[in-house]
Amino acid sequence: MQYLLNAKEMKQADTNTIEHFRVPSLVLMERAALKVVEVIEEERLNTGHTLIVCGCGNNGGDGLAVARMLRQKGAEVTVCLLGDYEKCSPQTKQQYDILIAYGVEIQKEIPEREYTLVIDAIFGIGLSRDVEGNYRDAILKMNEISADKLAVDIPSGIHSDSGRIMGCSFFAEHTVTFAYNKLGLNLYPGAEAAGKITVAEIGITEESFLGKEPQTIAFTEEDLTGLPKRQAESNKGTYGKVLVIAGNEQMAGAAYFSAKAAYLCGCGLVKVVTHENNKTMLHTKLPEALIQTYEGKKAEKESLIEAVNWADVIVVGPGLGQSSLSENILKTVLKTASVPMVLDADALNLLAKERELLKLPHTDLIVTPHLGEMARLADMPVDYIKKNLILTAEEFAREYNVICVLKDARTIISIPYGKTYVNLSGNHGMATGGSGDVLTGMIAGLLAGGVS
């Protein structure tokens, strides 16, 4: 796993390193600049004529230090400081004075000429308002230059907590961020602006948290080693039973995708409760599944409760429809079940009309909305949710005491009053019908197999 820090957490870790552990700020700045130069060399970026545009904060100080180091390595460097020297941080003033002592002329505007590398060191993680004026003009001009592009810590104009573009943004091919990865570099559109991210160690370690760990975590491939191993001495009962209540009339595919995914994730048995019309298709495509059907507008309450009591994990929603029959099925399951449930698709659309039903169960609930379903569930505009993925997931998880899996290009998993996780895997090939049904079945199959 890796931490994804917001601006407040990163600033506190930086402050703790300086004040508690007595590491001078200028030492951290020098180490940061050295790491940027290392990445430039490792990526073989063309430093023939490098433009470095700096702001007045410590991000600008990092850039000024990079300019000195590249010049000492023989690069032709053009340095531009946006803003007034008197408003610079003490460390940035010091780096400015060092450059002047070395005879480097520092410009106030970007000179018109050709460049091979553009380095953005204007704004760091503290940006909280839209970029305007000469800062905006400079960023737009930097984007237009045909050259390699690198951002120091975070592309200027990207909100470090949400990944939002604050008016305009520098678009980098490489970003060197310091100590820990940042949320805004991994949430879109910030992830697109960041390009390839390198996390550079500069001396701010987990000790700098002083016991208060960051809230948000991203999964890495190493986390897959935590999945339980199959036992040599086992049988189908060892790996749990999943009940998939899905697939109204003409919606057999949703039931099939969820049930198949549960099997492929290792559960021992899957039972599908579905419309009578889906029976032949499911028997043909998934003969290993148990099939229980209902017809027309009626579902036997007793047989449904019997199926619920049979299961170790329950899926409700994929292709279920929003009829009164579907609503009665959902209510019966919510009132009866005592095992973990995964609610998706039409179950969420039904719950959006009666959200208090989420507070009925005395068991673990996992909801897996995409943006449209979340908008209906939380009664919020999609545009707001997209800009506030983590906040939306966390607030909903706490209010209804559910695990909220908010699906987007980056999926957010929020545990009520616990950690928040970001899934950075996946790709746009998953943007197709049925992917959500597969995810629902995967979650259920893993739960049945003993994953927390």
Side-chain angles (χ1 to χ4, degrees), residues 262-427:
Y263 264 131
L264 288 174
C265 278
C267 78
L269 281 171
V270 177
K271 178 181 283 189
V272 183
V273 173
T274 190
H275 191 277
E276 173 71 21
N277 286 5
N278 301 329
K279 185 176 182 179
T280 301
M281 183 276 221
L282 287 170
H283 273 315
T284 304
K285 295 285 288 182
L286 199 64
E288 62 268 42
L290 306 171
I291 310 295
Q292 179 175 316
T293 65
Y294 55 86
E295 294 184 56
K297 297 182 179 179
K298 248 184 166 177
E300 268 311 317
K301 188 172 182 179
E302 289 76 14
S303 62
L304 179 59
I305 291 173
E306 187 179 331
V308 167
N309 291 333
W310 168 88
D312 297 311
V313 181
I314 300 170
V315 168
V316 188
L320 189 63
Q322 298 179 55
S323 65
S324 58
L325 169 60
S326 302
E327 185 178 349
N328 289 334
I329 288 172
L330 177 62
K331 286 181 177 180
T332 298
V333 176
L334 287 173
K335 290 174 182 178
T336 307
S338 59
V339 296
M341 283 187 283
V342 188
L343 305 178
D344 183 37
D346 284 321
L348 302 178
N349 293 325
L350 289 166
L351 286 166
K353 303 169 189 173
E354 205 172 343
R355 285 188 286 270
E356 291 305 304
L357 287 173
L358 280 170
K359 297 180 179 179
L360 277 178
H362 301 284
T363 185
D364 292 330
L365 281 187
I366 300 172
V367 297
T368 61
H370 58 54
L371 294 181
E373 290 160 349
M374 192 75 238
R376 291 187 284 275
L377 267 177
D379 195 21
M380 293 176 177
V382 169
D383 188 55
Y384 172 85
I385 295 170
K386 197 164 183 67
K387 291 176 181 176
N388 298 275
L389 286 174
I390 290 178
L391 179 64
T392 302
E394 288 178 343
E395 288 182 345
F396 193 85
R398 285 194 294 267
E399 182 175 358
Y400 293 99
N401 196 35
V402 298
I403 294 173
C404 183
V405 181
L406 179 52
K407 300 179 293 192
D408 196 32
R410 300 292 195 229
T411 292
I412 311 300
I413 305 99
S414 183
I415 299 172
Y417 303 102
K419 295 289 186 186
T420 296
Y421 298 84
V422 180
N423 189 337
L424 302 178
S425 69
N427 57 71

Side-chain angles (χ1 to χ4, degrees), residues 12-318:
Q12 190 60 56
D14 187 71
T15 299
N16 291 345
T17 305
I18 295 165
E19 295 182 359
H20 183 85
F21 293 107
R22 311 294 182 185
V23 179
S25 178
L26 203 62
V27 170
L28 296 176
M29 186 174 283
E30 286 290 300
R31 294 189 68 175
L34 281 167
K35 289 294 184 180
V36 171
V37 174
E38 279 182 21
V39 170
I40 289 171
E41 291 175 340
E42 288 168 2
E43 297 292 338
R44 298 183 179 182
L45 304 184
N46 188 346
T47 59
H49 191 178
T50 300
L51 170 67
I52 304 180
V53 186
C54 305
C56 291
N58 279 358
N59 191 252
D62 296 336
L64 294 170
V66 170
R68 167 173 35 93
M69 294 173 188
L70 289 178
R71 181 179 180 275
Q72 289 172 339
K73 287 177 174 286
E76 186 179 349
V77 176
T78 296
V79 185
C80 179
L81 177 71
L82 302 177
D84 186 356
Y85 170 84
E86 294 303 324
K87 294 180 180 178
C88 289
S89 70
Q91 293 78 18
T92 301
K93 282 182 179 178
Q94 194 165 353
Q95 294 289 359
Y96 183 103
D97 295 341
I98 292 170
L99 265 185
I100 294 295
Y102 272 103
V104 178
E105 185 180 355
I106 300 177
Q107 312 290 332
K108 291 187 177 180
E109 295 181 353
I110 299 172
E112 292 286 347
R113 59 169 301 175
E114 291 187 358
Y115 300 99
T116 60
L117 172 63
V118 177
I119 297 177
D120 160 36
I122 302 173
F123 299 120
I125 60 172
L127 184 68
S128 59
R129 61 181 183 179
D130 282 358
V131 179
E132 299 174 339
N134 66 320
Y135 293 101
R136 178 186 176 88
D137 294 341
I139 289 171
L140 294 177
K141 188 170 185 177
M142 291 158 68
N143 284 336
E144 290 173 358
I145 295 171
S146 179
D148 294 331
K149 293 187 174 75
L150 180 143
V152 175
D153 207 19
I154 190 168
S156 293
I158 294 298
H159 193 284
S160 61
D161 292 1
S162 68
R164 292 200 307 267
I165 292 177
M166 308 295 284
C168 74
S169 159
F170 182 70
F171 279 82
E173 294 158 342
H174 303 270
T175 295
V176 183
T177 196
F178 306 126
Y180 290 95
N181 210 336
K182 313 301 187 301
L183 274 168
L185 295 175
N186 292 278
L187 300 175
Y188 286 93
E192 187 176 359
K196 181 181 178 181
I197 300 167
T198 300
V199 180
E201 197 283 309
I202 63 169
I204 300 174
T205 65
E206 288 191 27
E207 292 171 300
S208 297
F209 299 146
L210 297 182
K212 189 176 181 181
E213 290 185 353
Q215 169 67 17
T216 309
I217 294 168
F219 297 113
T220 61
E221 284 190 20
E222 284 117 19
D223 292 304
L224 294 175
T225 61
L227 294 175
K229 291 180 171 56
R230 304 283 281 190
Q231 302 170 34
E233 187 181 1
S234 60
N235 56 61
K236 63 183 179 238
T238 308
Y239 302 110
K241 297 171 287 187
V242 172
L243 176 65
V244 175
I245 304 172
N248 206 335
E249 192 173 5
Q250 308 302 325
M251 291 294 287
Y256 166 73
F257 282 136
S258 284
K260 180 71 172 179
Y263 264 131
L264 288 174
C265 278
C267 78
L269 281 171
V270 177
K271 178 181 283 189
V272 183
V273 173
T274 190
H275 191 277
E276 173 71 21
N277 286 5
N278 301 329
K279 185 176 182 179
T280 301
M281 183 276 221
L282 287 170
H283 273 315
T284 304
K285 295 285 288 182
L286 199 64
E288 62 268 42
L290 306 171
I291 310 295
Q292 179 175 316
T293 65
Y294 55 86
E295 294 184 56
K297 297 182 179 179
K298 248 184 166 177
E300 268 311 317
K301 188 172 182 179
E302 289 76 14
S303 62
L304 179 59
I305 291 173
E306 187 179 331
V308 167
N309 291 333
W310 168 88
D312 297 311
V313 181
I314 300 170
V315 168
V316 188

